[in-house]
């Protein structure tokens, strides 16, 4: 069991004031990690921290905008004063559903900045400390859209495909410093972001029929993959993606 023990380790989870990010942070905390909760809204961040603390976990707020270079540098400098991170989870992201023929450059840039550029900015800030201490774990939240495309998901698909390749690039540069960089690729999960799709019976029926497990995923079901990739159990796993999708990618 010590392979999955995260006691004494500090973990920053971006976009963790709710949804999948909060569940990932909760999963790491349950295995002993001290988690730093991140988001743009300080009130939501404080509420998430209080929730985790009430459950008996060690949690602290780290509110800053991961899409803003200056905010990332300031926010990371403040939290790194207590020492390097052991674990970074790049989870922040958004979706804007629009046909490619109608997408504006502002929307395109917004999605890539939130889903891809943010991961580069935060990882770039965290990596020097991980290199200096001789170990680190970086986990990026990808998507089925890192491998597949659907109508109206062009900006999102491009950003998540790019994030998959960023995982590989970071692995290529930092693996020699005992830093493992991997991704988690969720399938269709019930979250605030997907609520309109869950409520659309036609689409929801398609998801259930297309997924061998026959249902949507629950955010808590992503925690196991995060704990594995954050722990010593994955010490020789690098540049990989674990798809947690109920089997969707495995079948036609």
């Amino acid at each position: 069991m010590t392979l999955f023990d995260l006691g004494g380790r500090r973990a920053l989870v971006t976009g963790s004031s709710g949804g999948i990010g909060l569940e990932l942070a909760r999963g790491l905390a349950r295995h002993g990690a001290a988690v730093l909760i991140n988001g743009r809204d300080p009130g939501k961040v404080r509420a998430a921290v209080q929730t985790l603390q009430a459950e008996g976990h060690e949690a602290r707020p780290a509110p800053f905008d991961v899409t803003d270079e200056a905010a990332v540098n300031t926010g990371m400098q403040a939290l790194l004063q207590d020492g390097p991170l052991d674990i970074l989870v790049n989870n922040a992201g958004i979706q804007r559903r629009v046909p490619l023929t109608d997408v504006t450059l502002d929307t395109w840039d917004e999605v890539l900045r939130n889903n891809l550029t943010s991961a580069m900015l935060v990882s770039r800030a965290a990596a020097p400390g991980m290199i200096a201490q001789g170990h680190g774990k970086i986990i990026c939240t990808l998507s089925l859209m890192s491998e597949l495309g659907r109508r109206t998901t062009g900006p999102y698909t491009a950003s998540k495909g790019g994030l998959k390749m960023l995982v590989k690039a970071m692995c290529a540069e930092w693996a020699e410093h005992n830093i493992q960089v991997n991704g988690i690729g969720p399938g269709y999960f019930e979250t605030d972001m997907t609520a309109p799709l869950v409520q659309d019976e036609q689409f929801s029926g398609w998801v259930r029929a297309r997924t061998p497990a026959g249902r949507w995923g629950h955010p808590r079901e992503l925690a196991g993959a995060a704990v594995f990739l954050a722990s010593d159990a994955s010490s020789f796993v690098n540049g990989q993606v674990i798809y947690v999708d109920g089997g969707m990618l495995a079948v036609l």
Side-chain angles (χ1 to χ4, degrees), residues 5-50:
D5 181 11
L6 302 179
R9 304 186 192 186
R10 298 175 71 223
L12 169 65
V13 184
T14 69
S16 54
S17 60
I20 285 175
L22 181 56
E23 288 299 330
L24 295 179
R26 178 178 282 115
L28 299 180
R30 282 175 173 168
H31 284 256
V35 294
L36 294 157
I37 302 301
N38 166 264
R40 290 190 183 96
D41 186 329
K44 290 182 178 179
V45 169
R46 284 195 299 271
V49 167
Q50 290 169 359

Side-chain angles (χ1 to χ4, degrees), residues 187-206:
Y188 284 92
F189 279 74
E190 294 188 37
T191 67
D192 290 342
M193 184 185 294
T194 61
L197 298 178
V198 175
Q199 295 164 8
D200 181 333
E201 188 51 43
Q202 182 177 1
F203 187 86
S204 197
W206 175 84

